[in-house]
Amino acid sequence: MKTVNVGIVGYGVVGNGVAQILEEKKELLTKKSGVQINLKKVYTRNWDKQFSYPLPEDKKASSLEELLDDREIDIIVELTGGIDFPLELFKKTAEKGKHFVTANKALLAEKGKEVFSLAEEKGIRVGFEAAVAGGIPIIRALREGLVANDIQKIYGILNGTTNYILTQMLKEGRSFQEVLREAQELGYAEADPTLDINGTDAAHKIAILSSLSFGGFIDFSGVYVEGIENIDSIDIDLGRELGYTLKLLAIAKGHNGEVEVRVHPTFLPSDHPLSKVDGVFNAVMVEGDSVGETMFYGKGAGSLPTASAVVSDIVDIAKSIALGVGREIEITSMNWQHRQLSLTRVSDFYTRYYLRFTVPDVTGILAKVAAVFARYNISIAAVIQKEKVVSFAGITDEKVVPLVILTHTASENNIQKAIKEIEEEKITVRKTVLIRVEDEEQ
């Protein structure tokens, strides 16, 4: 029976989980794959720390070169994070002719073209199931299970930290800052949660899914990203009155030769399946032309769920090695062509909008707003106007009230022009709150 040797670089939460699975489930993996997978060496910069899964001394490498120069190691697993070091590690791995497995969404979203082009040139495979949605096998589903489909749309809740925060704000009516502090105390948010709450983490993941689904490379700088740091509980409550639930949604749609890729707070109908995804869980809904809508749900982070996805890539590559599949066939794990996808500009988005205006409590305001909307071909679907709200969104002036308007599908360009005109004409007294809405009307 063929033995495939593995080296791990980075021994944090996920690295510990991968080592634990490889060591404790050797027999199971051999039985299911027909290959003996051996964890030969692990490298980390500091072996003096306490580890949840301690390793014997003979598996600890004292340098990176100990893994790269070992001709018996077939697969390098990168679990370090960041971009610069992992990219250099990948280049060295490729030069050595070793296969590469990573959970690094930032590396693939921002440097994917460079990574996969070099992988093809060197005839190595890149496994990245763990880069998106932790233990949910969404990468393999897009590569294999949905191969007969032209993918039309992807909706994803791809960040557990933000989903936990929005869930608690909805259920308990607490402020963003209060729930964020709680999430940090519980270990659901990092000490520095910036990349989670500003949407960058989810944007990296939807960029990868978009490349897989629509067959090309994406310029990550063209992905529209907006986080949840400015979300107020009043908008969550008012959205619920309109029949919607707020999520940080990652969206990818293909149309007219372009791909629309965006991440932002989004109102979904409260009976939508993704509206029921609470807490730290992730979910991805994929619409294909043959299969229709499919949904994938599970834990999007954590040591063992993410490690499970890493090990699935290790096993997949190990089986290819054992079967002697020609490298001219097994070049990379992507379904894309060598082309750059054209991204839809933000101004060309078409969706529905929730708008909260802070206005004086006087007659005629709604008529003024409606008149501006008419000039920009924006149709109003619903209105909520509260009377004599003394305190909302940090406002304690009883002379102003929130005016909430839900629009029918409209152009982002026209919406932004209308808001600018309304604010310049001093119809409102504070900055307008805009939240996009996704429902069946589109």
Side-chain angles (χ1 to χ4, degrees):
M1 184 178 290
K2 173 71 173 177
T3 296
V4 172
N5 291 300
V6 177
I8 297 176
V9 179
Y11 204 56
V13 172
V14 178
N16 277 248
V18 172
Q20 182 178 346
I21 292 174
L22 291 179
E23 291 292 280
E24 293 183 353
K25 296 191 174 183
K26 278 185 178 181
E27 292 185 10
L28 177 66
L29 294 174
T30 299
K31 182 179 179 180
K32 289 189 171 183
S33 68
V35 184
Q36 289 184 336
I37 299 173
N38 176 49
L39 175 59
K40 189 171 185 186
K41 289 286 184 178
V42 176
Y43 171 71
T44 187
R45 289 190 177 95
N46 182 11
W47 281 115
D48 295 329
K49 297 189 298 182
Q50 293 291 323
F51 298 100
S52 61
Y53 189 78
L55 288 172
E57 291 300 317
D58 65 337
K59 290 191 181 292
K60 296 179 180 178
S62 58
S63 69
L64 194 59
E65 287 67 34
E66 197 173 331
L67 276 69
L68 292 170
D69 293 339
D70 188 335
R71 294 185 178 182
E72 292 184 349
I73 291 180
D74 305 285
I75 304 170
I76 295 292
V77 180
E78 180 273 312
L79 301 170
T80 62
I83 295 178
D84 293 339
F85 173 78
L87 181 60
E88 287 305 308
L89 173 62
F90 168 72
K91 290 177 179 179
K92 292 177 181 178
T93 299
E95 290 299 326
K96 297 289 185 178
K98 301 180 189 296
H99 301 287
F100 191 72
V101 173
T102 182
N104 194 324
K105 62 266 183 183
L107 171 68
L108 300 182
E110 299 194 30
K111 301 293 182 179
K113 184 175 183 178
E114 187 174 353
V115 167
F116 288 102
S117 296
L118 181 58
E120 185 176 38
E121 177 187 328
K122 297 297 181 180
I124 66 169
R125 289 191 58 191
V126 178
F128 56 100
E129 183 65 66
V132 181
I136 302 173
I138 185 62
I139 301 298
R140 189 158 280 106
L142 288 171
R143 282 170 45 202
E144 299 172 9
L146 298 174
V147 70
N149 289 262
D150 282 326
I151 303 302
Q152 299 170 332
K153 181 171 66 178
I154 302 172
Y155 284 168
I157 295 173
L158 299 175
N159 183 274
T161 299
T162 53
N163 201 47
Y164 176 82
I165 291 171
L166 293 176
T167 297
Q168 295 304 107
M169 290 178 70
L170 172 67
K171 291 184 174 180
E172 301 181 10
R174 292 187 291 158
S175 70
F176 169 80
Q177 289 296 339
E178 184 182 357
V179 178
L180 173 59
R181 285 193 296 271
E182 177 186 82
Q184 290 172 316
E185 292 169 1
L186 294 172
Y188 296 153
E190 302 286 348
D192 180 2
T194 302
L195 295 181
D196 293 320
I197 64 175
N198 72 7
T200 301
D201 177 79
H204 282 143
K205 295 169 183 175
I206 194 64
I208 294 170
L209 295 183
S210 299
S211 288
L212 271 173
S213 301
F214 301 108
F217 295 105
I218 281 181
D219 179 358
F220 184 73
S221 65
V223 177
Y224 179 79
V225 187
E226 184 182 320
I228 67 167
E229 56 267 60
N230 295 318
I231 292 296
D232 196 288
S233 58
I234 186 177
D235 296 305
I236 292 177
D237 292 339
L238 291 171
R240 179 162 47 184
E241 286 191 36
L242 290 164
Y244 294 95
T245 299
L246 189 66
K247 296 293 182 182
L248 182 70
L249 199 65
I251 300 168
K253 300 177 182 179
H255 50 82
N256 299 325
E258 292 185 336
V259 181
E260 185 177 315
V261 187
R262 48 191 169 102
V263 173
H264 49 69
T266 307
F267 276 125
L268 288 168
S270 294
D271 60 356
H272 192 284
L274 290 177
S275 295
K276 310 298 183 183
V277 178
D278 289 339
V280 295
F281 281 82
N282 282 194
V284 185
M285 181 168 280
V286 181
E287 183 178 315
D289 63 339
S290 298
V291 74
E293 289 186 340
T294 60
M295 183 166 159
F296 304 82
Y297 170 86
K299 292 183 177 180
S303 176
L304 292 179
T306 306
S308 171
V310 173
V311 172
S312 75
D313 279 331
I314 294 172
V315 170
D316 185 41
I317 294 173
K319 288 167 67 177
S320 294
I321 294 171
L323 292 170
V325 176
R327 287 188 170 182
E328 70 279 2
I329 298 172
E330 292 281 354
I331 48 175
T332 75
S333 301
M334 296 301 278
N335 290 341
W336 58 32
Q337 304 165 26
H338 288 277
R339 65 189 182 103
Q340 197 80 17
L341 294 176
S342 177
L343 294 179
T344 303
R345 296 177 301 176
V346 180
S347 59
D348 292 333
F349 291 167
Y350 278 83
T351 188
R352 301 186 73 183
Y353 294 86
Y354 163 102
L355 302 166
R356 174 165 60 82
F357 302 100
T358 303
V359 298
D361 190 14
V362 297
T363 59
I365 294 295
L366 179 56
K368 291 180 180 179
V369 172
V372 175
F373 276 16
R375 287 198 286 275
Y376 291 99
N377 197 31
I378 300 168
S379 176
I380 296 174
V383 176
I384 297 178
Q385 186 164 10
K386 300 290 186 180
E387 50 179 348
K388 297 298 181 185
V389 176
V390 176
S391 179
F392 67 93
I395 300 169
T396 55
D397 185 350
E398 59 184 21
K399 295 180 181 178
V400 299
V401 294
L403 170 63
V404 173
I405 293 178
L406 177 68
T407 76
H408 288 294
T409 301
S411 155
E412 177 89 18
N413 188 43
N414 285 348
I415 286 285
Q416 295 294 348
K417 287 180 178 178
I419 290 173
K420 182 179 180 182
E421 185 172 324
I422 288 168
E423 291 179 345
E424 287 178 347
E425 291 184 7
K426 308 297 183 183
I427 297 172
T428 63
V429 297
R430 290 179 185 262
K431 184 175 177 59
T432 302
V433 173
L434 178 154
I435 298 176
R436 295 167 188 87
V437 179
E438 290 285 321
D439 63 21
E440 291 304 315
E441 182 176 281
Q442 287 111 275

